[in-house]
Structure formats: C-alpha cells, structure tokens
Amino acid sequence: MGPLASLLRRFVFVAILVIAPSLAQAAFEETHSAPASDAGPDPGAPPPPAAPAPVPPTPEHPRYRLEPIVITADRVPIRLDRIPADVTVIAPERLESRRPLLIADALRWVPGIDVERSGSVGKLTDVRLRGADPRHTLVLFDGIPLNGPWLGIFDFADFMGSGRNQIEVFGGPASSLYGSGAVGGVIQILSTPDAPAPSRSLFAEYGENRTFRQGIHWQSPLGETRAGLSLSRLTSDGQGPRDAYTGLNGQLRVDVPVGGDRLKVSALATQGEKELPYDFLFDGADTTLSPFGSLKEIRDPNNFEKDRVLAGSATYERGLGARAVLEAEVSGFAGQIENRNPPNGSSTTDYQRTQLDNTRGIASLRARVHAAEWAVGILGAEYRAESVNRLDDSNSGGFGGVTDVAEDVQSRALYAQSHLEWRDRVLLDSGIRLEDHSRFGSYGVPRIALAIGIREVGLKVRGGYGRAFSAPTLTDLYYPGYGSPTLKPERSRTWEAGADGSWLEGRVTAKATWYTTRFRDLIQSNSFFVADNVGSARIEGEDYSARFAPIQRLWIEGRAAHLVGKNLVTGARLAKRPSWRAGASIQGEPAKGIVAMADWWWAASMLDPFVFIDSDGRVLAGDTPERASLDLGVNASLDRWIPADLRLRLENALDRKYADVKGFPATRRAFRVGLTLNP
C-alpha cells in the first residue's frame, strides 16, 4: 500500500490544482449571481455547453467554415478553435457527400494516419496514428473503447459507418483521460442524433466485382427525446478467386429525458464474413530463401473467417445545480473471431481452427463542472475488467496441437481534467490519471497543453507535453510458447508544438504540428519470437494541412506528413512506417444540384522485414513499394423529379497496382453507381 498511497496523495494534490479554478469560479458565481427570474434557467437542468455555438452567417459577416464542436480532447463539448491540441475533424457532411465503403477509407484524409489493409474490401485493416503501433492508437465509438484485449488493436475491416458520423482524431498522448493504449492518440467515431429536424434516407449502390451496398438511416427529435438508427449491408466478390465478403453494420443512439435527468444509450454492432484467399506454408524442400527451406504464400481454397463486434453504453446524467452535472456510465464490449482453415487436400494434413472471444466491462462515475464559458473541470473514477478466451487447434508440418487460453485483468483509475481560457487569448488543458492495474501496480500519467491566440495575424500557437502507457496485451502475456508474464508496461513521453491559422473569415485555414515521442520498455519479439521488453524507440514527425475556399461552393485541401521512426537499441528504422505521406481533396458545385469531388493520397515506400515467396512465385524482400490512389465522384440531385440523389464513384481511377501490406494486392480501378432516397 506504500507506493499506492503515495501515488494517491500525489493524484489528489494535482487534481485539486487541475480543477480548483473551475470550482472557485462556480462557487463565486453561485454566491454573487442575481436572483433567478421566472424566465431564468432551471437549476436542475444540465449545464450549458463549455463554448457557445458559432454565430450563424450574416450578409455583413459571411462565414465559409463554422467550427465544429469536439468531444474527444476533453470529454466535454468544446469548439474546435478553443482546443490547444492537435485535433482533426471529419464532419458528417463530408462523410455523407462521399460515403466511403468503410470508415478506414475516410481516415486516409487525415495527414497523421496511415491505413494498411491486407488486400481488398473487408480484409484486416490496421491504422497507425503518428507512426505508433496499431495497439498504441485508441479507437472509440461514442466513448466506448473498441480495441480488443487480446491483441490491443481494433480491426477497421468491418466498420462501415452510417454516413452521418463525425470522426474526431486527437493526435498525441491521451492516457491521462482514456488510460492504456492512447499513446499515438485517439480516433473517435461519434453518432450524431442531435438533428434539429427529422431526417430519413434509404440508399443502394452497385459496382464492379459485384459490390453491392444498401442501408437505411433515420434520425429525429421526438419531443425532448433524440434518437438515431442506421443499418447497412455490404457484399462483394472481391478481385479474384475466394475473395468474397459480406458485412453488416448497425448503430443506435437514444437520448431521453428521465424527469429532470437524461439517459443516453449508444450501441454498435458489426459482422464480417470473409473468404481469405491467401495463407502461408513453410516448404522445407525449397532452398530459395535459405538452406533450411522457404516460406511461401499460397492461394488457399478453403480459408474462412467470421468477425463480430458488439459494443454499447448507458449513461445517466443528473444536474447538480446550474453548472455541474454527474454522470454514471456502464459500457461493454464483446468481440469474436472465428477462423476455419481445413486441410487443403489429401496430400496435406495442415489445418487451423481458432475461436477467440474478447470481452470488456467498464463502470465509471464522472463529475463535470462548467464554472463559466472559460473554465471547465472534470473528475472521474473508473473500474475496468477485461477477459479473453482463445482456443487453437492447428497442425503445420507436423507441429501443433490444441491450446486454450482463458485469462483476465482488472484496473481501477482516478482522473482529473480541466480546460481554461483567458480573454480569448490563452487556452490551457491539463490532466492527470492514476491507474491501479491488477498485474502491474499503480502509476500516474499527466498531460498539459497550452495555446496562445494571436488574433491580429489569425494564428493560434500551441505546445504540449504528455506521458502515456500501454499495458502488455493478453497476447504478450499469455500466448502459449510466445507470451511472457514478466513483461513491464510500455511507457512513453511526447513533446509537441504547432500552429493553427485562419484567414479571410475562414476561407483559408492551415495547420502544422511537430512532435517527438520516446518509448521506454518497448515490447517486441526477441530472437526466440517471445514477447520481451527489448529497449526503447523514438518517433519524430510533422503533419501539415491547408484548406482554401475561393468561393462558397468550392474548397481545396492539401495535406502531408513526415515521419522518422528509430529503434534506439539497434539503430534500425521502425518497420511499416512510410517516411512521407501526402494527399489532396477538392469539392465543388459546377452547377446547381451537381457536386463533383476528388480525393488523392500517396504514401512513400516503407521497411518490411517479412521475406517470402508470393503466390506468383516472386521473392518479396525489402521495402514495400510506394502506394497511391485517386478517387473521383459526382453527386446529382434529382429533387426536380423525386426526393433523391444519384451518386457515381470511380475508385483508384488511375488503376494503380499497389499493396498496403506486402503480398496482399489492393483493389484495382472500380466503378460504382448509387441512389439515395430522402423521403
């Protein structure tokens, strides 16, 4: 209890410093405020948002770009231009106009993100934020963590989205708010049920490779209740033999009054059934790669996988006076992966059967204090329980057998966060989290971010520092033959600086961020393929983006990112991290009711030490070649005849041959046509 008690005392001391200004201002305003009139606010009602919504455009002061309200950076709603951190928002309007097949396709529009899909639609999709490993990027849906406890990652392969989501990407360490795994940052997908008016749509699309997608979306205020529901289905034959995919997605969000309180419910369900066209076998008789044999990629005739994710949360909100609210929340996550790969024929006995179940339950209690428009504080407590059950039955070259892993971990946490503003010039975020892990004991992680607004030149200059941690995954700890129960958590610290600019009443915006992250006790496989704390690493990078709206119905966007990753023990480059990424987007309305758009992205070659003979007999060694794609689209309104939109899409218009992951070719040029009804 000695170290825990010491950390607890430090947490209480720092938490008081973090939220004391908010509490003091709240007490002052409660004491000195004028008596409420009959038309005044209800003391039992939830507090107002931390920042006012942007003023609607007027003829005298036209606005080309209204700042969105962001949740992720502080767990409270704050306007994007009032956040002293690196946050990128993909607005629902942009997702709706483009409606990419999968959410991962939209993430390519963020300069700090690299998307790596193992083949065509529906295949394993890793996302790296700021060059961190996929398990170092926390993925949330309406605040619900989606990273599985077994591998610590979230596979974006089956997440289609509703077309009305808002995506918020928070770059930098976020362990002070969200705990383990938020080293590179947080990607949050938000449902958006707060529509001022009802909206309904039905859509269907069809394209090459017999790709067919259909879905419905409904969103409506029902009195004081707000609700949203979306369902979608996607099928595709893929681009070759045994590459078929079927995916189902559902999202639900309900916000209902309960007396003077509110109950909020969110749910997400995804399922993907996929044929896996490739597998790997070791051929001891082929000496192409070594005297002892060669690893070969083969076209597998019967490899099949089914993935499911079910996540949900319920939050009860109770107002405490005019400026404080108490939230009690429970959330759950259940993920299942089922892989079946029988023997390929009578001449071999190699097979694989895997059943993996991930579960997580979280109970939390939070108090939010809205002292004023310039001061917000939050205190929270959380209990988390995670468990895994994995069954493997395999045989490869006469080696294998049956293994069964059933393990669980728990953690308790306290955290505090504040957001302060001073005279529209200074923005300050600070936070700390104390985590008590059932296997690794107690430790604390702080974070601070400061921004100074220079209105005279349209700039916001910002800087920050934060620490983060990643507890070893249950794979690292318990995978039979390769796990190590003696592992220590990975630690990291990040320094960053940047500037945001806005000129010509929002028609021109730009952003640049520099960051450096140092990892300690880095977990990698050692020479015996066993997970080990092998040393340290450093990642440095810069992200750039700019947007220009020369007229109201046209905008142009450019983005780029530079990254250097290095293992400080061996001096080697970190694999699977392109040194440069770039992209551009344009959207315009050349005629009334016609919207044209284009999105281009490019990534430089990247180190990949995996060497094998591919299914066409070629030796794949060395770097993964550069990748690029150009997607084109046109939306045409049919409101003159029916309440509908016609959509045309051409993906990979230049028919570039590339692979995000070596040995798994991406989809070539593909055309789709769709119709959206808006009854």
Side-chain angles (χ1 to χ4, degrees), residues 355 388-392 402-407 478 480:
Q355 181 83 28
V388 159
N389 195 318
R390 173 170 178 146
L391 175 66
D392 284 286
V402 178
T403 61
D404 189 4
V405 178
E407 298 289 346
Y478 302 117

Side-chain angles (χ1 to χ4, degrees), residues 54 90 108 187 252 294 319 345 358 413 434 463 474 600 615:
I90 302 176
R108 296 188 192 269
I187 300 172
L252 172 69
S294 300
N358 287 281
L434 170 67
L474 294 179
W600 170 79
S615 58

Side-chain angles (χ1 to χ4, degrees), residues 141-142 191 193 218 227-230 250-254 265-269 311:
F141 173 77
D142 280 351
S191 56
W218 172 83
L229 173 67
S230 67
Q251 295 183 29
L252 172 69
R253 180 73 185 270
V254 178
V265 176
S266 290
L268 169 71

Side-chain angles (χ1 to χ4, degrees), residues 602-676:
W602 167 86
S605 63
M606 58 185 180
L607 176 68
D608 189 340
F610 193 31
V611 179
F612 58 93
I613 300 173
D614 75 358
S615 58
D616 294 324
R618 299 170 301 180
V619 176
L620 296 188
D623 292 353
T624 299
E626 66 176 8
R627 303 162 280 150
S629 181
L630 173 66
D631 301 332
L632 305 175
V634 175
N635 296 345
S637 173
L638 305 180
D639 286 348
R640 184 176 178 181
W641 302 280
I642 57 173
D645 296 324
L646 178 66
R647 298 166 182 259
L648 306 176
R649 297 289 181 270
L650 183 60
E651 296 180 345
N652 196 1
L654 302 180
D655 202 23
R656 287 288 300 266
K657 187 177 181 180
Y658 72 93
D660 287 326
V661 179
K662 193 162 60 178
F664 297 88
T667 304
R668 301 290 294 271
R669 182 166 52 207
F671 177 76
R672 301 199 319 269
V673 59
L675 186 68
T676 300

Side-chain angles (χ1 to χ4, degrees), residues 142 144 253-256 258 261-266 312-318 326-331 364 366 368:
D142 280 351
I144 309 166
R253 180 73 185 270
V254 178
D255 184 342
V256 58
V258 181
D261 307 329
R262 297 200 73 85
L263 175 64
K264 299 179 180 181
V265 176
S266 290
S313 69
T315 306
Y316 192 84
E317 235 178 50
R318 184 176 185 83
L326 186 67
E327 295 178 342
E329 182 178 87
V330 293
S331 68
S364 58
R366 298 185 293 269
R368 290 190 281 118

Side-chain angles (χ1 to χ4, degrees), residues 545-567:
S545 64
R547 181 183 173 110
F548 175 45
I551 57 177
Q552 282 190 307
R553 293 183 177 88
L554 174 68
W555 59 259
I556 304 167
E557 178 184 270
R559 53 194 176 270
H562 179 233
L563 182 72
V564 177
K566 186 177 182 180
N567 186 318

